[in-house]
Amino acid sequence: MTKDNENKTSEEERISRRRFIKSSGVAVGGLAVGGVIGGLIPWRTEDNKQQRQAANETKNYNQALMFFSQAEFKTVEAATERIFPKDHNGPGAKDLGVPFYIDHQLAGSYGFNSRDYMEPPFFHGEKEQGYQGRLKRREIFRVGLRELQNYSHQKYKKEFSELSTEEQDDILKDFESDKVKLSTISASGFFNMLRGVTLEGLYSDPLYGGNIDMDGWRMRDYPGDQMNYLDVIEEGFKKIEPRSLRDHM
């Protein structure tokens, strides 16, 4: 074989190998990462990194159920939104994360009445004495939500979350005024507890799951957790951007 033929054959083999590597890289895709073939593929690593960072920034890992079932959570979403609905002033309870706040509270010490005396005997107390029963708050909520659904089916033949806003208001008003007769708990007692913890979720620090982005505070011009007011103490009322406990970390 002549020298020219040898050079021609060598060049053809080199081109053939390059084509094989290129085709193989396309065919195996992700499997080539970290291998010899993968090292030849120009992956857009910087773009992928930015995409992952953007995805993580939009996730709120505080919004996860710890106590409610999915069905219970839908009912709480609907009920709290009627107690504090979205309007021209700003977001409602749902957008402010109140249902998640309630779920997390019931999963913790609040739901277990860990700071309350819960031993018998149990007597019917005066209003000033507060709750005097044996059921824990998480148990009251579970019974209350079940009875809310039962009454909704009885009155409108639908799930509470499927009712119109007017129908939902009627159901809640019946609970508030004790028109609904329950054997285990007080209908008005459950409504008042639901209303109270809804307001807590609206105005608590976002650290606890509600008041997302501190918008509940903004609607009331509340400054949140400020370290001091030395820069505004000599002036009249001044609207300042609220701060969360997390801002001091």
Side-chain angles (χ1 to χ4, degrees):
M1 184 181 292
T2 65
K3 189 171 183 180
D4 289 342
N5 288 338
E6 288 179 357
N7 291 338
K8 184 177 180 181
T9 301
S10 176
E11 178 66 17
E12 288 175 348
E13 289 177 351
R14 186 174 67 81
I15 293 173
S16 177
R17 283 198 302 271
R18 186 165 60 190
R19 285 175 179 167
F20 171 76
I21 290 173
K22 183 178 179 181
S23 299
S24 300
V26 173
V28 299
L31 296 177
V33 177
V36 175
I37 296 174
L40 301 174
I41 300 175
W43 300 103
R44 301 179 65 185
T45 53
E46 188 60 33
D47 287 350
N48 293 340
K49 181 179 179 181
Q50 291 175 355
Q51 290 172 2
R52 288 195 302 271
Q53 288 175 343
N56 288 333
E57 286 173 0
T58 60
K59 290 180 181 178
N60 185 346
Y61 290 98
N62 207 15
Q63 293 190 346
L65 294 184
M66 300 179 182
F67 175 71
F68 290 133
S69 66
Q70 290 290 344
E72 290 170 336
F73 186 74
K74 284 179 64 177
T75 303
V76 171
E77 271 190 329
T80 55
E81 185 67 16
R82 294 315 305 149
I83 292 172
F84 194 89
K86 178 180 180 179
D87 61 15
H88 65 280
N89 293 310
K94 180 179 177 180
D95 290 338
L96 287 170
V98 169
F100 285 106
Y101 169 83
I102 297 174
D103 172 79
H104 296 177
Q105 291 298 304
L106 293 175
S109 58
Y110 171 85
F112 284 100
N113 293 63
S114 62
R115 297 186 179 182
D116 300 332
Y117 183 79
M118 298 291 291
E119 298 298 325
F122 298 101
F123 298 106
H124 180 73
E126 299 298 328
K127 282 188 177 181
E128 294 77 15
Q129 293 178 296
Y131 177 65
Q132 300 290 312
R134 67 178 71 245
L135 294 180
K136 296 178 174 63
R137 292 186 186 95
R138 61 194 347 242
E139 295 168 330
I140 293 174
F141 255 87
R142 193 139 268 169
V143 172
L145 293 174
R146 184 176 67 242
E147 295 295 349
L148 198 67
Q149 289 285 33
N150 290 341
Y151 189 65
S152 175
H153 279 283
Q154 176 188 330
K155 192 168 184 177
Y156 294 110
K157 309 296 190 250
K158 292 179 183 178
E159 297 279 324
F160 181 82
S161 59
E162 297 172 351
L163 300 178
S164 67
T165 55
E166 293 79 9
E167 291 169 339
Q168 289 175 344
D169 288 347
D170 286 342
I171 295 287
L172 292 174
K173 286 176 182 176
D174 286 350
F175 267 72
E176 182 183 19
S177 60
D178 270 327
K179 286 184 180 178
V180 187
K181 303 303 177 184
L182 307 179
S183 58
T184 311
I185 63 173
S186 159
S188 62
F190 167 68
F191 174 82
N192 290 331
M193 184 178 293
L194 175 63
R195 181 181 181 276
V197 76
T198 296
L199 295 176
E200 289 175 15
L202 293 169
Y203 302 122
S204 65
D205 193 282
L207 185 69
Y208 301 104
N211 189 18
I212 291 177
D213 293 331
M214 298 179 283
D215 285 338
W217 287 346
R218 285 189 179 90
M219 284 190 285
R220 302 190 67 84
D221 293 329
Y222 180 68
D225 187 58
Q226 302 286 334
M227 291 295 288
N228 62 67
Y229 298 92
L230 293 178
D231 56 335
V232 296
I233 199 169
E234 297 297 332
E235 305 175 19
F237 178 79
K238 183 177 180 181
K239 202 171 184 178
I240 58 179
E241 188 66 11
R243 290 171 63 89
S244 164
L245 290 168
R246 188 178 184 277
D247 294 328
H248 302 304
M249 293 176 62

